[in-house]
Structure formats: structure tokens, C-alpha cells
Amino acid sequence: MRRLSIEGYLPEQILDLPDEEFEGLVFTGKPIVFHAGSAEVLGEFKLESAKLTIELAQIEGGGEGVLPIIVSLSRKYARKRNLTEIEWIVHALNCAKPNLKLRHVMERKGFIVKEIEGIGKAFYFLDKID
């Protein structure tokens, strides 16, 4: 089985990066484009107090399970940093080529469709970290 890498790093290697290097790559204050497996992902990551906010605007290509890898990696990072919540905002409702299976998967995982101020309708989930 091929292991999914993000910008050439395996997930465990990303978590082993020094905090300053990791945060410089991820928390830029603006959207970033990164490669995860064969997918190109547009997203923004914010760290506020004990909450990590992940806003995913677009995932092009892929199919190897990019979203579950991002979820797993973010939960491990949150635990490492003693964060209490991960706020997910996923813009997948008005895509030019919507993934018809995605809505069912997102709802099964607990995401709801929510009107978010300054963003519009998106899939939303507040993940409480134990």
C-alpha cells in the first residue's frame, strides 16, 4: 500500500517538525496550496487560543483518502499542542464539479450545512478533542 505524503513529508514526519518550522509553513495568515498524495488542496489554517480552525476551499484530484489524512494529522497536532477544539469549514457545496458522495460522507461524520458569517453556506463541524 502506498503511503500518502503531504508536500513530500509522511504524516508522522510533519508532526516531528520543530514547532517554529511547522507553524511557519501552515499558519501563514492566508490561504495556502499544498499537495497531499495526488491531490492539490487549497486551505487556510488558523490557531486561536485552544482552537485550530481548518478551512478547506478546494481539493482537486486525489482519491487516496486525503481528507481522512488531514483529519487524523490535525487531531494528532491538536493533542500534541493541548488544543481543545478543531473547527472545520469545508467549502464543498457550490463546487463546479461537486463530489456527489461527499455530502453523505460529511453528514455521516457529523458535519452540518451551516451559514457562516463572511463565508456563506459550508459544511461545518466542531470537533472536541479529548
Side-chain angles (χ1 to χ4, degrees), residues 59-103:
I59 300 174
E60 289 266 336
E64 316 92 326
V66 170
L67 196 54
I69 290 294
I70 295 171
V71 169
S72 174
L73 187 57
S74 65
R75 294 189 104 239
K76 288 176 184 174
Y77 175 79
R79 284 189 186 103
K80 177 181 174 183
R81 293 294 306 266
N82 296 314
L83 304 178
T84 58
E85 300 175 325
I86 302 173
E87 179 181 48
W88 289 91
I89 301 167
V90 181
H91 300 259
L93 294 170
N94 300 313
C95 296
K97 295 180 186 176
N99 181 336
L100 301 178
K101 295 178 190 174
L102 183 62
R103 183 179 197 113

Tab-separated table of all heavy atoms in Angstrom, residues 59-103:
chain	number	residue	atom	x	y	z
A	59	ILE	N	-10.349	20.763	-3.046
A	59	ILE	CA	-9.467	19.606	-3.168
A	59	ILE	C	-9.622	19.098	-4.589
A	59	ILE	O	-10.687	18.633	-4.972
A	59	ILE	CB	-9.824	18.489	-2.156
A	59	ILE	CG1	-9.719	19.011	-0.729
A	59	ILE	CG2	-8.914	17.277	-2.367
A	59	ILE	CD1	-10.184	18.030	0.337
A	60	GLU	N	-8.560	19.230	-5.369
A	60	GLU	CA	-8.563	18.797	-6.778
A	60	GLU	C	-7.815	17.485	-6.895
A	60	GLU	O	-6.690	17.367	-6.402
A	60	GLU	CB	-7.840	19.831	-7.651
A	60	GLU	CG	-8.563	21.116	-7.832
A	60	GLU	CD	-9.399	21.138	-9.084
A	60	GLU	OE1	-9.101	20.387	-10.033
A	60	GLU	OE2	-10.359	21.913	-9.104
A	61	GLY	N	-8.412	16.522	-7.542
A	61	GLY	CA	-7.745	15.243	-7.745
A	61	GLY	C	-7.776	14.408	-6.483
A	61	GLY	O	-8.632	14.569	-5.626
A	62	GLY	N	-6.836	13.540	-6.375
A	62	GLY	CA	-6.754	12.699	-5.181
A	62	GLY	C	-7.557	11.434	-5.330
A	62	GLY	O	-7.592	10.833	-6.380
A	63	GLY	N	-8.191	11.040	-4.262
A	63	GLY	CA	-8.930	9.791	-4.244
A	63	GLY	C	-8.289	8.790	-3.296
A	63	GLY	O	-8.843	7.737	-3.040
A	64	GLU	N	-7.099	9.148	-2.760
A	64	GLU	CA	-6.413	8.231	-1.850
A	64	GLU	C	-6.808	8.435	-0.400
A	64	GLU	O	-6.188	7.895	0.494
A	64	GLU	CB	-4.881	8.408	-1.888
A	64	GLU	CG	-4.224	8.552	-3.204
A	64	GLU	CD	-4.064	9.987	-3.670
A	64	GLU	OE1	-4.925	10.837	-3.383
A	64	GLU	OE2	-3.079	10.248	-4.345
A	65	GLY	N	-7.793	9.233	-0.138
A	65	GLY	CA	-8.183	9.469	1.244
A	65	GLY	C	-7.511	10.675	1.835
A	65	GLY	O	-7.032	10.647	2.972
A	66	VAL	N	-7.453	11.759	1.084
A	66	VAL	CA	-6.784	12.977	1.523
A	66	VAL	C	-7.463	13.568	2.756
A	66	VAL	O	-6.796	13.905	3.736
A	66	VAL	CB	-6.738	14.011	0.371
A	66	VAL	CG1	-6.267	15.357	0.861
A	66	VAL	CG2	-5.846	13.509	-0.744
A	67	LEU	N	-8.776	13.669	2.742
A	67	LEU	CA	-9.488	14.279	3.865
A	67	LEU	C	-9.274	13.495	5.168
A	67	LEU	O	-8.966	14.101	6.195
A	67	LEU	CB	-10.968	14.438	3.536
A	67	LEU	CG	-11.756	15.380	4.426
A	67	LEU	CD1	-11.122	16.766	4.513
A	67	LEU	CD2	-13.183	15.499	3.918
A	68	PRO	N	-9.379	12.159	5.168
A	68	PRO	CA	-9.108	11.437	6.417
A	68	PRO	C	-7.680	11.642	6.940
A	68	PRO	O	-7.468	11.709	8.150
A	68	PRO	CB	-9.346	9.969	6.050
A	68	PRO	CG	-10.308	10.024	4.912
A	68	PRO	CD	-9.932	11.265	4.142
A	69	ILE	N	-6.713	11.772	6.051
A	69	ILE	CA	-5.329	12.016	6.481
A	69	ILE	C	-5.224	13.398	7.126
A	69	ILE	O	-4.586	13.561	8.174
A	69	ILE	CB	-4.341	11.885	5.304
A	69	ILE	CG1	-4.235	10.430	4.870
A	69	ILE	CG2	-2.979	12.452	5.660
A	69	ILE	CD1	-3.625	9.489	5.896
A	70	ILE	N	-5.865	14.396	6.541
A	70	ILE	CA	-5.833	15.750	7.115
A	70	ILE	C	-6.523	15.747	8.482
A	70	ILE	O	-6.040	16.362	9.427
A	70	ILE	CB	-6.470	16.770	6.154
A	70	ILE	CG1	-5.634	16.890	4.878
A	70	ILE	CG2	-6.601	18.141	6.824
A	70	ILE	CD1	-6.284	17.701	3.770
A	71	VAL	N	-7.633	15.030	8.602
A	71	VAL	CA	-8.345	14.929	9.879
A	71	VAL	C	-7.447	14.274	10.924
A	71	VAL	O	-7.285	14.781	12.038
A	71	VAL	CB	-9.674	14.154	9.723
A	71	VAL	CG1	-10.274	13.813	11.079
A	71	VAL	CG2	-10.656	14.952	8.884
A	72	SER	N	-6.861	13.154	10.589
A	72	SER	CA	-6.009	12.428	11.529
A	72	SER	C	-4.816	13.274	11.961
A	72	SER	O	-4.500	13.368	13.155
A	72	SER	CB	-5.525	11.126	10.876
A	72	SER	OG	-4.588	10.482	11.704
A	73	LEU	N	-4.168	13.895	11.003
A	73	LEU	CA	-3.000	14.727	11.294
A	73	LEU	C	-3.369	15.921	12.172
A	73	LEU	O	-2.677	16.236	13.133
A	73	LEU	CB	-2.378	15.201	9.981
A	73	LEU	CG	-1.058	15.944	10.052
A	73	LEU	CD1	0.006	15.117	10.751
A	73	LEU	CD2	-0.603	16.303	8.650
A	74	SER	N	-4.500	16.543	11.884
A	74	SER	CA	-4.919	17.708	12.669
A	74	SER	C	-5.263	17.316	14.103
A	74	SER	O	-4.950	18.042	15.047
A	74	SER	CB	-6.085	18.432	12.001
A	74	SER	OG	-7.227	17.612	11.982
A	75	ARG	N	-5.895	16.155	14.295
A	75	ARG	CA	-6.233	15.699	15.652
A	75	ARG	C	-4.957	15.380	16.444
A	75	ARG	O	-4.861	15.694	17.634
A	75	ARG	CB	-7.163	14.490	15.617
A	75	ARG	CG	-8.537	14.841	15.036
A	75	ARG	CD	-9.566	13.748	15.182
A	75	ARG	NE	-10.447	14.206	16.281
A	75	ARG	CZ	-10.645	13.527	17.382
A	75	ARG	NH1	-10.084	12.363	17.559
A	75	ARG	NH2	-11.434	14.004	18.318
A	76	LYS	N	-3.988	14.762	15.792
A	76	LYS	CA	-2.718	14.467	16.471
A	76	LYS	C	-1.996	15.763	16.838
A	76	LYS	O	-1.437	15.878	17.931
A	76	LYS	CB	-1.832	13.593	15.586
A	76	LYS	CG	-2.343	12.166	15.482
A	76	LYS	CD	-1.517	11.345	14.527
A	76	LYS	CE	-2.113	9.951	14.376
A	76	LYS	NZ	-1.417	9.167	13.361
A	77	TYR	N	-2.008	16.727	15.925
A	77	TYR	CA	-1.387	18.026	16.217
A	77	TYR	C	-2.108	18.707	17.383
A	77	TYR	O	-1.465	19.246	18.289
A	77	TYR	CB	-1.421	18.927	14.977
A	77	TYR	CG	-0.906	20.313	15.251
A	77	TYR	CD1	0.456	20.564	15.323
A	77	TYR	CD2	-1.782	21.374	15.477
A	77	TYR	CE1	0.937	21.835	15.610
A	77	TYR	CE2	-1.320	22.641	15.761
A	77	TYR	CZ	0.045	22.871	15.821
A	77	TYR	OH	0.514	24.127	16.116
A	78	ALA	N	-3.436	18.670	17.385
A	78	ALA	CA	-4.216	19.302	18.447
A	78	ALA	C	-3.884	18.677	19.801
A	78	ALA	O	-3.725	19.395	20.797
A	78	ALA	CB	-5.711	19.189	18.148
A	79	ARG	N	-3.775	17.373	19.837
A	79	ARG	CA	-3.429	16.710	21.105
A	79	ARG	C	-2.024	17.088	21.552
A	79	ARG	O	-1.789	17.338	22.737
A	79	ARG	CB	-3.560	15.198	20.954
A	79	ARG	CG	-4.991	14.723	20.954
A	79	ARG	CD	-5.080	13.202	21.017
A	79	ARG	NE	-6.458	12.788	20.874
A	79	ARG	CZ	-6.968	12.288	19.749
A	79	ARG	NH1	-6.216	12.130	18.676
A	79	ARG	NH2	-8.241	11.948	19.695
A	80	LYS	N	-1.098	17.125	20.606
A	80	LYS	CA	0.296	17.485	20.912
A	80	LYS	C	0.388	18.895	21.513
A	80	LYS	O	1.179	19.149	22.398
A	80	LYS	CB	1.131	17.398	19.625
A	80	LYS	CG	2.566	17.794	19.767
A	80	LYS	CD	3.287	17.704	18.431
A	80	LYS	CE	4.699	18.245	18.541
A	80	LYS	NZ	5.382	18.223	17.247
A	81	ARG	N	-0.465	19.799	21.023
A	81	ARG	CA	-0.447	21.203	21.471
A	81	ARG	C	-1.484	21.490	22.565
A	81	ARG	O	-1.693	22.628	22.925
A	81	ARG	CB	-0.721	22.124	20.274
A	81	ARG	CG	0.359	22.144	19.214
A	81	ARG	CD	1.664	22.740	19.724
A	81	ARG	NE	1.506	24.055	20.300
A	81	ARG	CZ	1.661	25.195	19.660
A	81	ARG	NH1	2.045	25.190	18.410
A	81	ARG	NH2	1.465	26.339	20.276
A	82	ASN	N	-2.141	20.453	23.069
A	82	ASN	CA	-3.169	20.596	24.108
A	82	ASN	C	-4.308	21.521	23.693
A	82	ASN	O	-4.827	22.290	24.504
A	82	ASN	CB	-2.554	21.067	25.432
A	82	ASN	CG	-1.604	20.048	26.001
A	82	ASN	OD1	-1.913	18.867	26.038
A	82	ASN	ND2	-0.433	20.498	26.417
A	83	LEU	N	-4.707	21.434	22.426
A	83	LEU	CA	-5.849	22.205	21.937
A	83	LEU	C	-7.126	21.471	22.327
A	83	LEU	O	-7.125	20.241	22.502
A	83	LEU	CB	-5.766	22.381	20.424
A	83	LEU	CG	-4.487	23.032	19.893
A	83	LEU	CD1	-4.517	23.096	18.376
A	83	LEU	CD2	-4.280	24.407	20.491
A	84	THR	N	-8.216	22.200	22.447
A	84	THR	CA	-9.472	21.575	22.874
A	84	THR	C	-10.484	21.407	21.739
A	84	THR	O	-11.435	20.642	21.880
A	84	THR	CB	-10.125	22.391	24.002
A	84	THR	OG1	-10.352	23.721	23.541
A	84	THR	CG2	-9.245	22.407	25.239
A	85	GLU	N	-10.287	22.137	20.623
A	85	GLU	CA	-11.255	22.074	19.523
A	85	GLU	C	-10.569	22.219	18.167
A	85	GLU	O	-9.565	22.917	18.046
A	85	GLU	CB	-12.263	23.220	19.615
A	85	GLU	CG	-13.078	23.257	20.870
A	85	GLU	CD	-13.966	24.494	20.922
A	85	GLU	OE1	-13.567	25.577	20.444
A	85	GLU	OE2	-15.064	24.364	21.480
A	86	ILE	N	-11.184	21.569	17.190
A	86	ILE	CA	-10.830	21.812	15.790
A	86	ILE	C	-12.127	22.211	15.099
A	86	ILE	O	-13.110	21.452	15.099
A	86	ILE	CB	-10.240	20.582	15.095
A	86	ILE	CG1	-8.986	20.100	15.831
A	86	ILE	CG2	-9.916	20.910	13.626
A	86	ILE	CD1	-8.435	18.794	15.310
A	87	GLU	N	-12.129	23.399	14.543
A	87	GLU	CA	-13.289	23.895	13.805
A	87	GLU	C	-13.040	23.633	12.323
A	87	GLU	O	-12.037	24.082	11.777
A	87	GLU	CB	-13.457	25.388	14.063
A	87	GLU	CG	-14.620	25.996	13.313
A	87	GLU	CD	-14.738	27.484	13.578
A	87	GLU	OE1	-13.716	28.205	13.501
A	87	GLU	OE2	-15.852	27.920	13.861
A	88	TRP	N	-13.953	22.909	11.720
A	88	TRP	CA	-13.849	22.554	10.301
A	88	TRP	C	-14.850	23.355	9.484
A	88	TRP	O	-16.035	23.363	9.810
A	88	TRP	CB	-14.139	21.066	10.107
A	88	TRP	CG	-13.069	20.183	10.633
A	88	TRP	CD1	-12.976	19.648	11.883
A	88	TRP	CD2	-11.923	19.731	9.919
A	88	TRP	NE1	-11.847	18.896	11.986
A	88	TRP	CE2	-11.185	18.920	10.797
A	88	TRP	CE3	-11.466	19.931	8.621
A	88	TRP	CZ2	-9.996	18.311	10.415
A	88	TRP	CZ3	-10.284	19.329	8.235
A	88	TRP	CH2	-9.555	18.530	9.126
A	89	ILE	N	-14.364	23.979	8.435
A	89	ILE	CA	-15.219	24.665	7.465
A	89	ILE	C	-14.793	24.140	6.099
A	89	ILE	O	-13.646	24.335	5.682
A	89	ILE	CB	-15.036	26.203	7.537
A	89	ILE	CG1	-15.369	26.702	8.951
A	89	ILE	CG2	-15.887	26.891	6.469
A	89	ILE	CD1	-14.942	28.130	9.222
A	90	VAL	N	-15.699	23.455	5.427
A	90	VAL	CA	-15.366	22.833	4.141
A	90	VAL	C	-16.305	23.376	3.072
A	90	VAL	O	-17.514	23.166	3.125
A	90	VAL	CB	-15.450	21.292	4.223
A	90	VAL	CG1	-15.080	20.660	2.887
A	90	VAL	CG2	-14.552	20.761	5.343
A	91	HIS	N	-15.730	24.088	2.112
A	91	HIS	CA	-16.492	24.686	1.005
A	91	HIS	C	-16.667	23.634	-0.085
A	91	HIS	O	-15.882	23.555	-1.004
A	91	HIS	CB	-15.728	25.867	0.404
A	91	HIS	CG	-15.439	26.957	1.359
A	91	HIS	ND1	-16.169	28.101	1.416
A	91	HIS	CD2	-14.477	27.088	2.316
A	91	HIS	CE1	-15.688	28.896	2.348
A	91	HIS	NE2	-14.664	28.296	2.912
A	92	ALA	N	-17.672	22.835	0.033
A	92	ALA	CA	-17.883	21.795	-0.974
A	92	ALA	C	-19.311	21.804	-1.498
A	92	ALA	O	-19.720	20.882	-2.168
A	92	ALA	CB	-17.543	20.433	-0.376
A	93	LEU	N	-20.051	22.839	-1.171
A	93	LEU	CA	-21.453	22.868	-1.576
A	93	LEU	C	-21.668	23.462	-2.958
A	93	LEU	O	-22.604	23.092	-3.651
A	93	LEU	CB	-22.270	23.673	-0.545
A	93	LEU	CG	-22.337	23.038	0.835
A	93	LEU	CD1	-22.951	24.002	1.839
A	93	LEU	CD2	-23.132	21.752	0.776
A	94	ASN	N	-20.821	24.373	-3.363
A	94	ASN	CA	-21.035	25.075	-4.632
A	94	ASN	C	-19.875	24.890	-5.598
A	94	ASN	O	-19.526	25.789	-6.341
A	94	ASN	CB	-21.243	26.573	-4.361
A	94	ASN	CG	-22.444	26.802	-3.472
A	94	ASN	OD1	-23.504	26.242	-3.698
A	94	ASN	ND2	-22.270	27.612	-2.449
A	95	CYS	N	-19.280	23.703	-5.587
A	95	CYS	CA	-18.155	23.417	-6.483
A	95	CYS	C	-18.638	23.300	-7.925
A	95	CYS	O	-19.776	22.897	-8.171
A	95	CYS	CB	-17.484	22.106	-6.096
A	95	CYS	SG	-16.743	22.128	-4.476
A	96	ALA	N	-17.737	23.603	-8.851
A	96	ALA	CA	-18.055	23.447	-10.268
A	96	ALA	C	-18.310	21.969	-10.590
A	96	ALA	O	-19.187	21.633	-11.375
A	96	ALA	CB	-16.926	23.992	-11.129
A	97	LYS	N	-17.521	21.083	-9.978
A	97	LYS	CA	-17.689	19.640	-10.161
A	97	LYS	C	-17.880	19.011	-8.782
A	97	LYS	O	-16.942	18.481	-8.194
A	97	LYS	CB	-16.448	19.035	-10.827
A	97	LYS	CG	-16.186	19.498	-12.221
A	97	LYS	CD	-14.936	18.827	-12.760
A	97	LYS	CE	-14.566	19.383	-14.119
A	97	LYS	NZ	-13.304	18.809	-14.603
A	98	PRO	N	-19.084	19.074	-8.231
A	98	PRO	CA	-19.291	18.558	-6.875
A	98	PRO	C	-19.105	17.042	-6.797
A	98	PRO	O	-19.457	16.316	-7.720
A	98	PRO	CB	-20.725	18.950	-6.548
A	98	PRO	CG	-21.374	19.202	-7.850
A	98	PRO	CD	-20.299	19.609	-8.817
A	99	ASN	N	-18.541	16.595	-5.696
A	99	ASN	CA	-18.408	15.174	-5.410
A	99	ASN	C	-19.718	14.735	-4.752
A	99	ASN	O	-20.001	15.101	-3.619
A	99	ASN	CB	-17.218	14.945	-4.477
A	99	ASN	CG	-17.012	13.489	-4.154
A	99	ASN	OD1	-17.927	12.677	-4.228
A	99	ASN	ND2	-15.795	13.150	-3.781
A	100	LEU	N	-20.505	13.975	-5.478
A	100	LEU	CA	-21.840	13.615	-5.008
A	100	LEU	C	-21.818	12.739	-3.760
A	100	LEU	O	-22.760	12.751	-2.973
A	100	LEU	CB	-22.621	12.938	-6.131
A	100	LEU	CG	-22.791	13.792	-7.404
A	100	LEU	CD1	-23.529	13.009	-8.471
A	100	LEU	CD2	-23.509	15.093	-7.088
A	101	LYS	N	-20.745	11.981	-3.547
A	101	LYS	CA	-20.649	11.129	-2.365
A	101	LYS	C	-20.253	11.939	-1.127
A	101	LYS	O	-20.497	11.505	-0.010
A	101	LYS	CB	-19.599	10.043	-2.585
A	101	LYS	CG	-19.933	9.071	-3.677
A	101	LYS	CD	-18.809	8.073	-3.826
A	101	LYS	CE	-18.984	7.220	-5.060
A	101	LYS	NZ	-17.819	6.349	-5.280
A	102	LEU	N	-19.641	13.094	-1.346
A	102	LEU	CA	-19.081	13.859	-0.242
A	102	LEU	C	-20.128	14.287	0.780
A	102	LEU	O	-19.903	14.181	1.980
A	102	LEU	CB	-18.320	15.081	-0.754
A	102	LEU	CG	-17.624	15.910	0.308
A	102	LEU	CD1	-16.572	15.096	1.038
A	102	LEU	CD2	-17.006	17.153	-0.312
A	103	ARG	N	-21.271	14.758	0.323
A	103	ARG	CA	-22.302	15.223	1.257
A	103	ARG	C	-22.709	14.118	2.233
A	103	ARG	O	-22.785	14.335	3.440
A	103	ARG	CB	-23.518	15.760	0.508
A	103	ARG	CG	-24.562	16.323	1.440
A	103	ARG	CD	-25.779	16.875	0.694
A	103	ARG	NE	-26.507	17.731	1.583
A	103	ARG	CZ	-26.645	19.035	1.451
A	103	ARG	NH1	-26.097	19.645	0.449
A	103	ARG	NH2	-27.324	19.735	2.329
